Amino acid sequence: MTHGGTLNLDLHSHSTFSDGVLTPAELVLRAKSNGVSALALTDHDNVDGLAQAADAAAGHDLRFIPGVEVSATWRETTIHIVGLGVDPHNEMLRDGLRHVRSSRARRAIRIAAELDRAGIGDSLEGAYAYAENRELISRTHFARFLVSRGYAADVKSVFHHYLVPGKPGYVAHDWCAVADAVQWIRASGGLAVIAHPGRYKLTRGEMTELLETFKTAGGAGIEVITGSHSPEQYGEYARRAQEFELLASRGSDFHSPKEARVDLGQLPDLPKGLKPVWQELA
Ligand code: AMP
Ligand code: MN
Ligand code: MN
Ligand code: MN
């Protein structure tokens, strides 16, 4: 995809510090060769990969934006809040993320027990074998284990048959409040952005209420162009951005060269008439 001289910003990506398969330095290199002009690393619930990514980006003349993707819960639905331009040394952010991370190990044990009940053994060790950062054990690691054992053809199809509500290996989980995630991001100097809104199983009315809660908490932006959205959803969330006067973001949510539907930087431009979140990033 060409960008006709416009900036190619990718503001959502993952490394081995969460459930991505590339190290921060490898991710930066891939972004550079894909023509990305500015990259945000937004690992789940931690900021530990940001220093490595920043160093690599400096060496490749790539603009780097320190980020994070916080797992939150709103009325029993998991909502991801991306923070952009965060300070990884901020104590309030670090304490909040530590708290969110701390429940992952216990959840993993419960997921494995549910898979056991469905006749799928050894999944706890199996998932951890894929988790380079053990603190960040995630459903993606369970998904990779299930693919390796032939339970699904690929990670994406795992999430149709396992690990989601009503399917084997699902457990309900309480992360943190949306308002807390927004507050920690703001305290560290970042902008809070609702990640991939089209992925949440919410009615239109519920989405309106979520966006009201998010705005009231100090939320600044919304992902309009993401690897998770269909072209219709680009339009739908562009309208939501305007309705709620939210800045618009664009990010691939890249995790792995083998699993990616959308590679780093390979996304349409933001629709006209929206205010890009990167204009507010110092
Ligand atoms: P967790 O934070 O442990 O609940 O894991 C959530 C992660 O699972 C997401 O960040 C994605 O990487 C992955 N995931 C969830 N749903 C899907 C899906 N439908 N297809 C591919 N990956 C998914
Ligand atoms: Mn992920
Ligand atoms: Mn997400
Ligand atoms: Mn993500």
Side-chain angles (χ1 to χ4, degrees):
M1 179 164 306
T2 62
H3 286 271
T6 62
L7 293 175
N8 181 3
L9 287 94
D10 192 328
L11 303 182
H12 189 151
S13 68
H14 295 273
S15 77
T16 45
F17 281 81
S18 64
D19 57 351
V21 303
L22 302 184
T23 64
E26 289 166 343
L27 191 77
V28 162
L29 200 62
R30 190 179 186 92
K32 185 71 189 176
S33 60
N34 279 12
V36 170
S37 38
L39 175 75
L41 174 62
T42 56
D43 275 314
H44 297 288
D45 307 330
N46 87 96
V47 289
D48 298 338
L50 295 178
Q52 286 180 27
D55 282 352
H60 287 96
D61 193 28
L62 177 79
R63 186 169 165 212
F64 180 68
I65 293 153
V68 66
E69 182 174 17
V70 185
S71 312
T73 303
W74 182 76
R75 297 186 191 167
E76 295 174 14
T77 296
T78 296
I79 305 292
H80 286 171
I81 310 291
V82 162
L84 296 174
V86 298
D87 171 8
H89 303 294
N90 180 271
E91 278 306 321
M92 186 167 179
L93 177 66
R94 297 185 70 85
D95 285 350
L97 296 178
R98 197 177 301 118
H99 162 74
V100 173
R101 281 199 302 272
S102 66
S103 62
R104 281 188 174 271
R106 287 191 301 277
R107 185 186 67 146
I109 291 168
R110 295 177 55 218
I111 291 173
E114 287 300 312
L115 289 172
D116 258 324
R117 271 166 25 97
I120 301 171
D122 302 328
S123 69
L124 192 62
E125 309 80 72
Y128 272 111
Y130 287 95
E132 285 193 39
N133 180 1
R134 292 180 63 88
E135 261 196 320
L136 256 295
I137 185 73
S138 88
R139 283 186 297 158
T140 311
H141 302 118
F142 279 92
R144 292 185 183 134
F145 163 76
L146 290 168
V147 171
S148 77
R149 289 294 167 92
Y151 288 102
D154 53 37
V155 164
K156 190 163 178 49
S157 48
V158 170
F159 286 95
H160 293 297
H161 304 288
Y162 302 93
L163 311 176
V164 293
K167 305 290 178 175
Y170 175 72
V171 303
H173 194 70
D174 202 8
W175 297 105
C176 68
V178 165
D180 288 341
V182 171
Q183 199 190 354
W184 303 334
I185 290 164
R186 282 165 56 98
S188 78
L191 297 175
V193 175
I194 292 252
H196 43 65
R199 280 230 321 242
Y200 310 129
K201 304 240 179 318
L202 301 176
T203 64
R204 275 197 67 79
E206 286 169 336
M207 179 58 70
T208 298
E209 290 179 63
L210 169 64
L211 293 175
E212 281 165 357
T213 300
F214 177 70
K215 255 311 249 205
T216 304
I222 185 168
E223 285 184 350
V224 172
I225 303 294
T226 129
S228 300
H229 283 176
S230 64
E232 297 78 65
Q233 289 173 322
Y234 298 154
E236 178 177 353
Y237 292 101
R239 288 189 294 276
R240 289 298 207 170
Q242 284 172 322
E243 178 187 357
F244 284 88
E245 296 181 359
L246 290 165
L247 302 165
S249 192
R250 172 183 189 266
S252 60
D253 204 358
F254 179 86
H255 285 73
S256 156
K258 286 199 195 120
E259 295 162 12
R261 196 159 66 88
V262 174
D263 207 328
L264 290 165
Q266 309 285 297
L267 296 151
D269 290 336
L270 279 184
K272 297 273 177 293
L274 300 181
K275 207 167 168 216
V277 66
W278 51 84
Q279 287 183 0
E280 303 294 320
L281 292 168

